[in-house]
Amino acid sequence: SNKPGIHRYSIMYEMTWLCNGALLFGGSFGLLTCRPNIATGFAVAVSIDQILWYVDVLGYAYNRLTGVKKKKMFPIGVCQYLIWKQTHWSAKITCTHHFWTIPLLIYGADGIQWEAYFMNTITVASYVFLSRWLTPFGLSSHAKKSRDENKTTSSSKEYRKTASPKFEKYMNVNLSHELWQDIRIGILRRQADNQTTMVYLIRLVVWWQMFNLFCFLFLRGLVGIMVHS
């Protein structure tokens, strides 16, 4: 388990996750100040991740109930960190917000408009680039050694490591350092692995927005069906 000091030190970084930002800025600020496009913009920003949470949890439940033994119990892998040995118990307890953030923000904003998608593009890009700049890959008592051994730059001659270094607490906030190794979708891995830092970040944002566009259209259509039913 994580050392108490490491866990306490990570709390500030944990708040920079986009899903936590959706609660703080989308919920507390957007809804309370009657700015629906900010609220739903954050809902769209986290949509691809949080919609895939439903897929992962349902897939995991199906595999457990049917007794299927698979190396990868979660179909996609966005929830895989919940069964990592180094994942702190508090992260497992507080993960439920992935299921109710989007419904809460859309309900509170009384629908979702196209402005939300444009707000999301600014939000995602800002969070990804700032996370890369301001948050560490991970935390450990050997952090300096790990940073030296896994140093990455935006130079065209120096490439990112594809294997995560060993940390007492793995961070990789908003995927700003690498695509999580539990995500094994071939085309995403080819686009993300062995790339320079800037190329990786740009591709991450582009793919993120492509997926979020589909999620936005799905959510907008679902809301429309519910309103007219």
Side-chain angles (χ1 to χ4, degrees), residues 98-127:
H98 290 93
F99 299 106
W100 49 262
T101 297
I102 293 177
L104 174 67
L105 293 178
I106 293 179
Y107 178 78
D110 195 25
I112 181 169
Q113 307 301 323
W114 273 100
E115 288 81 357
Y117 182 76
F118 297 115
M119 178 69 189
N120 132 82
T121 61
I122 299 172
T123 302
V124 170
S126 300
Y127 266 77

mmCIF file of all heavy atoms in Angstrom, residues 98-127:
data_model
loop_
_atom_site.group_PDB
_atom_site.id
_atom_site.type_symbol
_atom_site.label_atom_id
_atom_site.label_comp_id
_atom_site.label_asym_id
_atom_site.label_seq_id
_atom_site.Cartn_x
_atom_site.Cartn_y
_atom_site.Cartn_z
ATOM 1 N N HIS A 98 -17.722 8.951 -11.134
ATOM 2 C CA HIS A 98 -17.665 8.712 -12.568
ATOM 3 C C HIS A 98 -19.032 8.321 -13.140
ATOM 4 O O HIS A 98 -19.251 8.427 -14.349
ATOM 5 C CB HIS A 98 -16.659 7.597 -12.889
ATOM 6 C CG HIS A 98 -15.236 7.995 -12.655
ATOM 7 N ND1 HIS A 98 -14.580 7.759 -11.466
ATOM 8 C CD2 HIS A 98 -14.340 8.633 -13.454
ATOM 9 C CE1 HIS A 98 -13.342 8.216 -11.549
ATOM 10 N NE2 HIS A 98 -13.163 8.757 -12.733
ATOM 11 N N PHE A 99 -19.935 7.881 -12.284
ATOM 12 C CA PHE A 99 -21.248 7.437 -12.750
ATOM 13 C C PHE A 99 -22.315 8.529 -12.701
ATOM 14 O O PHE A 99 -23.273 8.485 -13.465
ATOM 15 C CB PHE A 99 -21.725 6.231 -11.923
ATOM 16 C CG PHE A 99 -20.829 5.037 -12.026
ATOM 17 C CD1 PHE A 99 -19.995 4.686 -10.980
ATOM 18 C CD2 PHE A 99 -20.802 4.269 -13.178
ATOM 19 C CE1 PHE A 99 -19.157 3.591 -11.070
ATOM 20 C CE2 PHE A 99 -19.969 3.170 -13.286
ATOM 21 C CZ PHE A 99 -19.141 2.830 -12.229
ATOM 22 N N TRP A 100 -22.165 9.498 -11.811
ATOM 23 C CA TRP A 100 -23.244 10.473 -11.663
ATOM 24 C C TRP A 100 -22.876 11.905 -12.048
ATOM 25 O O TRP A 100 -23.742 12.773 -12.069
ATOM 26 C CB TRP A 100 -23.791 10.466 -10.234
ATOM 27 C CG TRP A 100 -22.786 10.543 -9.127
ATOM 28 C CD1 TRP A 100 -22.281 9.515 -8.389
ATOM 29 C CD2 TRP A 100 -22.171 11.736 -8.590
ATOM 30 N NE1 TRP A 100 -21.395 9.976 -7.434
ATOM 31 C CE2 TRP A 100 -21.310 11.329 -7.527
ATOM 32 C CE3 TRP A 100 -22.266 13.097 -8.913
ATOM 33 C CZ2 TRP A 100 -20.549 12.243 -6.797
ATOM 34 C CZ3 TRP A 100 -21.504 14.012 -8.181
ATOM 35 C CH2 TRP A 100 -20.667 13.577 -7.143
ATOM 36 N N THR A 101 -21.612 12.169 -12.398
ATOM 37 C CA THR A 101 -21.230 13.541 -12.741
ATOM 38 C C THR A 101 -21.965 14.045 -13.983
ATOM 39 O O THR A 101 -22.555 15.133 -13.978
ATOM 40 C CB THR A 101 -19.707 13.639 -12.974
ATOM 41 O OG1 THR A 101 -19.022 13.311 -11.766
ATOM 42 C CG2 THR A 101 -19.321 15.050 -13.397
ATOM 43 N N ILE A 102 -21.917 13.278 -15.073
ATOM 44 C CA ILE A 102 -22.552 13.720 -16.318
ATOM 45 C C ILE A 102 -24.061 13.889 -16.164
ATOM 46 O O ILE A 102 -24.613 14.938 -16.546
ATOM 47 C CB ILE A 102 -22.213 12.757 -17.480
ATOM 48 C CG1 ILE A 102 -20.721 12.852 -17.808
ATOM 49 C CG2 ILE A 102 -23.046 13.081 -18.716
ATOM 50 C CD1 ILE A 102 -20.267 11.884 -18.888
ATOM 51 N N PRO A 103 -24.792 12.897 -15.623
ATOM 52 C CA PRO A 103 -26.237 13.105 -15.433
ATOM 53 C C PRO A 103 -26.555 14.321 -14.569
ATOM 54 O O PRO A 103 -27.494 15.068 -14.873
ATOM 55 C CB PRO A 103 -26.684 11.808 -14.745
ATOM 56 C CG PRO A 103 -25.684 10.792 -15.154
ATOM 57 C CD PRO A 103 -24.384 11.531 -15.239
ATOM 58 N N LEU A 104 -25.758 14.538 -13.521
ATOM 59 C CA LEU A 104 -26.011 15.672 -12.633
ATOM 60 C C LEU A 104 -25.828 17.002 -13.354
ATOM 61 O O LEU A 104 -26.677 17.901 -13.258
ATOM 62 C CB LEU A 104 -25.068 15.603 -11.431
ATOM 63 C CG LEU A 104 -25.106 16.812 -10.479
ATOM 64 C CD1 LEU A 104 -26.460 16.885 -9.775
ATOM 65 C CD2 LEU A 104 -23.982 16.730 -9.450
ATOM 66 N N LEU A 105 -24.719 17.129 -14.111
ATOM 67 C CA LEU A 105 -24.437 18.396 -14.782
ATOM 68 C C LEU A 105 -25.453 18.689 -15.884
ATOM 69 O O LEU A 105 -25.897 19.833 -16.041
ATOM 70 C CB LEU A 105 -23.014 18.370 -15.357
ATOM 71 C CG LEU A 105 -21.876 18.327 -14.331
ATOM 72 C CD1 LEU A 105 -20.525 18.253 -15.039
ATOM 73 C CD2 LEU A 105 -21.929 19.542 -13.407
ATOM 74 N N ILE A 106 -25.816 17.679 -16.650
ATOM 75 C CA ILE A 106 -26.788 17.897 -17.733
ATOM 76 C C ILE A 106 -28.167 18.195 -17.167
ATOM 77 O O ILE A 106 -28.884 19.079 -17.658
ATOM 78 C CB ILE A 106 -26.826 16.679 -18.670
ATOM 79 C CG1 ILE A 106 -25.486 16.552 -19.411
ATOM 80 C CG2 ILE A 106 -27.971 16.806 -19.668
ATOM 81 C CD1 ILE A 106 -25.414 15.367 -20.347
ATOM 82 N N TYR A 107 -28.546 17.480 -16.128
ATOM 83 C CA TYR A 107 -29.853 17.741 -15.496
ATOM 84 C C TYR A 107 -29.889 19.142 -14.896
ATOM 85 O O TYR A 107 -30.864 19.881 -15.055
ATOM 86 C CB TYR A 107 -30.119 16.693 -14.414
ATOM 87 C CG TYR A 107 -31.422 16.910 -13.674
ATOM 88 C CD1 TYR A 107 -32.639 16.538 -14.252
ATOM 89 C CD2 TYR A 107 -31.438 17.512 -12.399
ATOM 90 C CE1 TYR A 107 -33.842 16.748 -13.578
ATOM 91 C CE2 TYR A 107 -32.622 17.725 -11.727
ATOM 92 C CZ TYR A 107 -33.828 17.335 -12.318
ATOM 93 O OH TYR A 107 -35.005 17.551 -11.658
ATOM 94 N N GLY A 108 -28.807 19.518 -14.211
ATOM 95 C CA GLY A 108 -28.761 20.839 -13.591
ATOM 96 C C GLY A 108 -28.764 21.963 -14.609
ATOM 97 O O GLY A 108 -29.288 23.049 -14.339
ATOM 98 N N ALA A 109 -28.184 21.705 -15.791
ATOM 99 C CA ALA A 109 -28.142 22.723 -16.847
ATOM 100 C C ALA A 109 -29.379 22.686 -17.735
ATOM 101 O O ALA A 109 -29.502 23.494 -18.655
ATOM 102 C CB ALA A 109 -26.895 22.520 -17.703
ATOM 103 N N ASP A 110 -30.260 21.736 -17.468
ATOM 104 C CA ASP A 110 -31.508 21.605 -18.234
ATOM 105 C C ASP A 110 -31.251 21.368 -19.716
ATOM 106 O O ASP A 110 -31.824 22.018 -20.591
ATOM 107 C CB ASP A 110 -32.375 22.855 -18.049
ATOM 108 C CG ASP A 110 -33.821 22.630 -18.511
ATOM 109 O OD1 ASP A 110 -34.262 21.463 -18.511
ATOM 110 O OD2 ASP A 110 -34.484 23.618 -18.874
ATOM 111 N N GLY A 111 -30.352 20.424 -20.005
ATOM 112 C CA GLY A 111 -30.071 20.070 -21.395
ATOM 113 C C GLY A 111 -28.625 20.320 -21.762
ATOM 114 O O GLY A 111 -27.807 20.713 -20.928
ATOM 115 N N ILE A 112 -28.319 20.086 -23.037
ATOM 116 C CA ILE A 112 -26.944 20.247 -23.502
ATOM 117 C C ILE A 112 -26.957 20.824 -24.912
ATOM 118 O O ILE A 112 -27.644 20.317 -25.804
ATOM 119 C CB ILE A 112 -26.189 18.889 -23.455
ATOM 120 C CG1 ILE A 112 -24.738 19.047 -23.907
ATOM 121 C CG2 ILE A 112 -26.906 17.814 -24.243
ATOM 122 C CD1 ILE A 112 -23.894 17.809 -23.634
ATOM 123 N N GLN A 113 -26.215 21.913 -25.118
ATOM 124 C CA GLN A 113 -26.196 22.619 -26.386
ATOM 125 C C GLN A 113 -24.830 22.489 -27.059
ATOM 126 O O GLN A 113 -23.859 22.050 -26.448
ATOM 127 C CB GLN A 113 -26.538 24.101 -26.165
ATOM 128 C CG GLN A 113 -27.833 24.332 -25.409
ATOM 129 C CD GLN A 113 -29.043 23.730 -26.095
ATOM 130 O OE1 GLN A 113 -29.132 23.752 -27.321
ATOM 131 N NE2 GLN A 113 -29.978 23.208 -25.310
ATOM 132 N N TRP A 114 -24.747 22.921 -28.328
ATOM 133 C CA TRP A 114 -23.492 22.811 -29.076
ATOM 134 C C TRP A 114 -22.371 23.627 -28.439
ATOM 135 O O TRP A 114 -21.193 23.290 -28.571
ATOM 136 C CB TRP A 114 -23.701 23.264 -30.525
ATOM 137 C CG TRP A 114 -24.179 22.150 -31.406
ATOM 138 C CD1 TRP A 114 -25.461 21.907 -31.826
ATOM 139 C CD2 TRP A 114 -23.365 21.106 -31.959
ATOM 140 N NE1 TRP A 114 -25.497 20.772 -32.600
ATOM 141 C CE2 TRP A 114 -24.229 20.268 -32.711
ATOM 142 C CE3 TRP A 114 -22.016 20.799 -31.898
ATOM 143 C CZ2 TRP A 114 -23.767 19.140 -33.392
ATOM 144 C CZ3 TRP A 114 -21.544 19.679 -32.572
ATOM 145 C CH2 TRP A 114 -22.408 18.864 -33.302
ATOM 146 N N GLU A 115 -22.725 24.687 -27.746
ATOM 147 C CA GLU A 115 -21.693 25.475 -27.077
ATOM 148 C C GLU A 115 -20.890 24.632 -26.088
ATOM 149 O O GLU A 115 -19.719 24.908 -25.823
ATOM 150 C CB GLU A 115 -22.323 26.665 -26.340
ATOM 151 C CG GLU A 115 -22.834 27.773 -27.236
ATOM 152 C CD GLU A 115 -24.208 27.472 -27.823
ATOM 153 O OE1 GLU A 115 -24.724 26.371 -27.560
ATOM 154 O OE2 GLU A 115 -24.755 28.337 -28.539
ATOM 155 N N ALA A 116 -21.517 23.605 -25.553
ATOM 156 C CA ALA A 116 -20.840 22.733 -24.588
ATOM 157 C C ALA A 116 -19.676 22.005 -25.239
ATOM 158 O O ALA A 116 -18.624 21.807 -24.612
ATOM 159 C CB ALA A 116 -21.826 21.727 -24.004
ATOM 160 N N TYR A 117 -19.856 21.605 -26.494
ATOM 161 C CA TYR A 117 -18.765 20.891 -27.164
ATOM 162 C C TYR A 117 -17.559 21.817 -27.389
ATOM 163 O O TYR A 117 -16.418 21.416 -27.197
ATOM 164 C CB TYR A 117 -19.213 20.307 -28.497
ATOM 165 C CG TYR A 117 -18.093 19.523 -29.168
ATOM 166 C CD1 TYR A 117 -17.754 18.250 -28.724
ATOM 167 C CD2 TYR A 117 -17.347 20.087 -30.207
ATOM 168 C CE1 TYR A 117 -16.704 17.553 -29.295
ATOM 169 C CE2 TYR A 117 -16.296 19.394 -30.774
ATOM 170 C CZ TYR A 117 -15.984 18.132 -30.320
ATOM 171 O OH TYR A 117 -14.930 17.447 -30.880
ATOM 172 N N PHE A 118 -17.817 23.057 -27.781
ATOM 173 C CA PHE A 118 -16.724 23.998 -28.005
ATOM 174 C C PHE A 118 -16.028 24.347 -26.682
ATOM 175 O O PHE A 118 -14.800 24.497 -26.644
ATOM 176 C CB PHE A 118 -17.255 25.254 -28.695
ATOM 177 C CG PHE A 118 -17.828 24.984 -30.060
ATOM 178 C CD1 PHE A 118 -19.170 25.175 -30.326
ATOM 179 C CD2 PHE A 118 -17.018 24.505 -31.081
ATOM 180 C CE1 PHE A 118 -19.694 24.899 -31.576
ATOM 181 C CE2 PHE A 118 -17.538 24.230 -32.337
ATOM 182 C CZ PHE A 118 -18.881 24.426 -32.586
ATOM 183 N N MET A 119 -16.804 24.449 -25.612
ATOM 184 C CA MET A 119 -16.215 24.674 -24.301
ATOM 185 C C MET A 119 -15.319 23.503 -23.922
ATOM 186 O O MET A 119 -14.240 23.676 -23.352
ATOM 187 C CB MET A 119 -17.335 24.845 -23.265
ATOM 188 C CG MET A 119 -16.847 25.039 -21.839
ATOM 189 S SD MET A 119 -16.018 26.637 -21.610
ATOM 190 C CE MET A 119 -15.356 26.424 -19.958
ATOM 191 N N ASN A 120 -15.721 22.311 -24.273
ATOM 192 C CA ASN A 120 -14.963 21.104 -23.963
ATOM 193 C C ASN A 120 -13.607 21.069 -24.660
ATOM 194 O O ASN A 120 -12.619 20.603 -24.091
ATOM 195 C CB ASN A 120 -15.806 19.870 -24.326
ATOM 196 C CG ASN A 120 -15.060 18.842 -25.131
ATOM 197 O OD1 ASN A 120 -14.314 18.028 -24.601
ATOM 198 N ND2 ASN A 120 -15.270 18.870 -26.444
ATOM 199 N N THR A 121 -13.537 21.575 -25.889
ATOM 200 C CA THR A 121 -12.262 21.549 -26.612
ATOM 201 C C THR A 121 -11.204 22.394 -25.902
ATOM 202 O O THR A 121 -10.044 21.995 -25.807
ATOM 203 C CB THR A 121 -12.441 22.062 -28.052
ATOM 204 O OG1 THR A 121 -12.909 23.415 -28.040
ATOM 205 C CG2 THR A 121 -13.442 21.200 -28.824
ATOM 206 N N ILE A 122 -11.615 23.546 -25.407
ATOM 207 C CA ILE A 122 -10.692 24.408 -24.665
ATOM 208 C C ILE A 122 -10.301 23.757 -23.344
ATOM 209 O O ILE A 122 -9.133 23.765 -22.938
ATOM 210 C CB ILE A 122 -11.335 25.784 -24.419
ATOM 211 C CG1 ILE A 122 -11.659 26.472 -25.747
ATOM 212 C CG2 ILE A 122 -10.433 26.663 -23.560
ATOM 213 C CD1 ILE A 122 -12.464 27.751 -25.606
ATOM 214 N N THR A 123 -11.283 23.175 -22.682
ATOM 215 C CA THR A 123 -11.058 22.571 -21.371
ATOM 216 C C THR A 123 -10.077 21.412 -21.436
ATOM 217 O O THR A 123 -9.115 21.341 -20.657
ATOM 218 C CB THR A 123 -12.390 22.089 -20.772
ATOM 219 O OG1 THR A 123 -13.289 23.194 -20.669
ATOM 220 C CG2 THR A 123 -12.183 21.471 -19.403
ATOM 221 N N VAL A 124 -10.296 20.492 -22.362
ATOM 222 C CA VAL A 124 -9.447 19.302 -22.459
ATOM 223 C C VAL A 124 -8.011 19.689 -22.795
ATOM 224 O O VAL A 124 -7.060 19.212 -22.161
ATOM 225 C CB VAL A 124 -10.002 18.323 -23.514
ATOM 226 C CG1 VAL A 124 -8.988 17.208 -23.806
ATOM 227 C CG2 VAL A 124 -11.315 17.716 -23.033
ATOM 228 N N ALA A 125 -7.836 20.543 -23.804
ATOM 229 C CA ALA A 125 -6.486 20.948 -24.195
ATOM 230 C C ALA A 125 -5.762 21.630 -23.036
ATOM 231 O O ALA A 125 -4.586 21.362 -22.777
ATOM 232 C CB ALA A 125 -6.552 21.878 -25.408
ATOM 233 N N SER A 126 -6.458 22.494 -22.314
ATOM 234 C CA SER A 126 -5.845 23.199 -21.189
ATOM 235 C C SER A 126 -5.413 22.232 -20.103
ATOM 236 O O SER A 126 -4.286 22.314 -19.582
ATOM 237 C CB SER A 126 -6.831 24.219 -20.606
ATOM 238 O OG SER A 126 -7.199 25.182 -21.576
ATOM 239 N N TYR A 127 -6.275 21.307 -19.765
ATOM 240 C CA TYR A 127 -5.965 20.348 -18.702
ATOM 241 C C TYR A 127 -4.806 19.433 -19.090
ATOM 242 O O TYR A 127 -3.931 19.140 -18.266
ATOM 243 C CB TYR A 127 -7.200 19.521 -18.352
ATOM 244 C CG TYR A 127 -7.994 20.068 -17.198
ATOM 245 C CD1 TYR A 127 -8.835 21.160 -17.368
ATOM 246 C CD2 TYR A 127 -7.910 19.500 -15.929
ATOM 247 C CE1 TYR A 127 -9.572 21.679 -16.308
ATOM 248 C CE2 TYR A 127 -8.634 20.010 -14.870
ATOM 249 C CZ TYR A 127 -9.464 21.093 -15.052
ATOM 250 O OH TYR A 127 -10.178 21.612 -14.008
#
